Amino acid sequence: MARRQYHGAAARRYDRRWATFTTRMQAPIIDLLAPDLRPGLRVLDVGCGTGTLLTALATRQPDLVLTGTDASPDMLAQAQAKLGDRANMLILDLNNPLPDAVRQDLHVDLVLCVSVLHYLRDPLAAVQALAGLLAPDGSMLLADFTRHGWWWPGFEAVLHLADAQHQRTLTADALPALLRAAGLRPTAPHTVGAGGPWRGTIAKGI
Ligand SMILES: C[S@@+](CC[C@H](N)C(=O)[O-])C[C@H]1O[C@@H](n2cnc3c(N)ncnc32)[C@H](O)[C@@H]1O
């Protein structure tokens, strides 16, 4: 039976359970972003989960303006506990159109979307909507585990069984393609080993 991955006790245990995966995915992202973390930079992390990435960025540059969103209130509660008043938190389901208030009032310099794309029914619609929140010289970073290996179709079936929210694992090429389709210029993607079967792809669009 599929479990609710991001609610109740699962949300409280998330950091411990996924520590290796999270560290390996996020370390190169933090290195990639670090040179551009200036005071006042407005950062939006969608599907921010327990807020580990926002917390790491705030440690590097305390004067960022941080917003974290997630579909799970329990994951956001974990993030809020870490970040306190250093970040605004907002419930947002990326499988729905962005609310008018968000489209009109949230303007940011950097959008982050890490390990979330595989949950989206229409990743392109979401990425295009998020690109609409960017300031003219803004950028977006997409990262997720991506398909690899002859055995992935079988593993994909296991992912569907284990997690009812799972939609589809994208290919590595799909991430820069999404950024391009949203009007951004993608830089060369990075590939990371994220432990066990997981291989991550990180792509930034400017
Ligand atoms: C694998 S966790 C990654 C969390 C965080 N980005 C990180 O890197 O640690 C996936 C997150 O995406 C959220 N999520 C799943 N489906 C979503 C959706 N449709 N809209 C917004 N967030 C979603 C989950 O609640 C969860 O917090």
Side-chain angles (χ1 to χ4, degrees):
M1 196 174 85
R3 281 172 291 160
R4 280 162 65 81
Q5 300 282 341
Y6 303 113
H7 296 271
R12 290 193 293 278
R13 291 191 203 115
Y14 180 88
D15 282 353
R16 211 160 358 115
R17 180 169 180 218
W18 291 98
T20 302
F21 176 86
T22 302
T23 304
R24 291 190 185 180
M25 283 293 286
Q26 292 187 2
I29 294 174
I30 295 162
D31 289 345
L32 188 68
L33 297 176
D36 299 327
L37 298 179
R38 53 175 165 76
L41 190 82
R42 296 164 296 176
V43 181
L44 168 65
D45 186 5
V46 293
C48 71
T50 62
T52 46
L53 183 54
L54 289 177
T55 304
L57 297 180
T59 304
R60 297 277 182 124
Q61 170 51 262
D63 294 321
L64 299 172
V65 180
L66 302 175
T67 303
T69 75
D70 203 278
S72 160
D74 294 345
M75 294 293 273
L76 268 193
Q78 299 295 313
Q80 190 83 70
K82 284 193 189 113
L83 284 149
D85 61 8
R86 284 181 293 166
N88 294 315
M89 296 294 169
L90 195 65
I91 303 281
L92 204 62
D93 185 338
L94 295 172
N95 279 325
N96 296 329
L98 292 180
D100 288 346
V102 169
R103 284 193 297 108
Q104 283 156 18
D105 299 337
L106 188 59
H107 305 291
V108 297
D109 303 299
L110 173 62
V111 170
L112 309 172
C113 180
V114 178
S115 305
V116 182
L117 291 170
H118 61 278
Y119 285 125
L120 303 188
R121 285 194 290 271
D122 187 347
L124 177 57
V127 169
Q128 285 176 326
L130 292 166
L133 306 179
L134 284 173
D137 58 350
S139 57
M140 186 178 320
L141 181 142
L142 302 178
D144 205 352
F145 62 82
T146 46
R147 298 177 80 96
H148 63 99
W150 61 266
W151 45 269
W152 197 272
F155 190 61
E156 184 81 1
V158 174
L159 291 177
H160 279 289
L161 284 176
D163 186 349
Q165 290 174 259
H166 180 80
Q167 297 291 325
R168 105 188 51 82
T169 310
L170 299 180
T171 62
D173 290 343
L175 274 61
L178 285 170
L179 291 166
R180 204 173 294 113
L184 296 162
R185 192 161 37 87
T187 56
H190 296 238
T191 302
V192 294
W198 312 106
R199 180 185 293 173
T201 300
I202 301 166
K204 190 175 172 201
I206 49 183

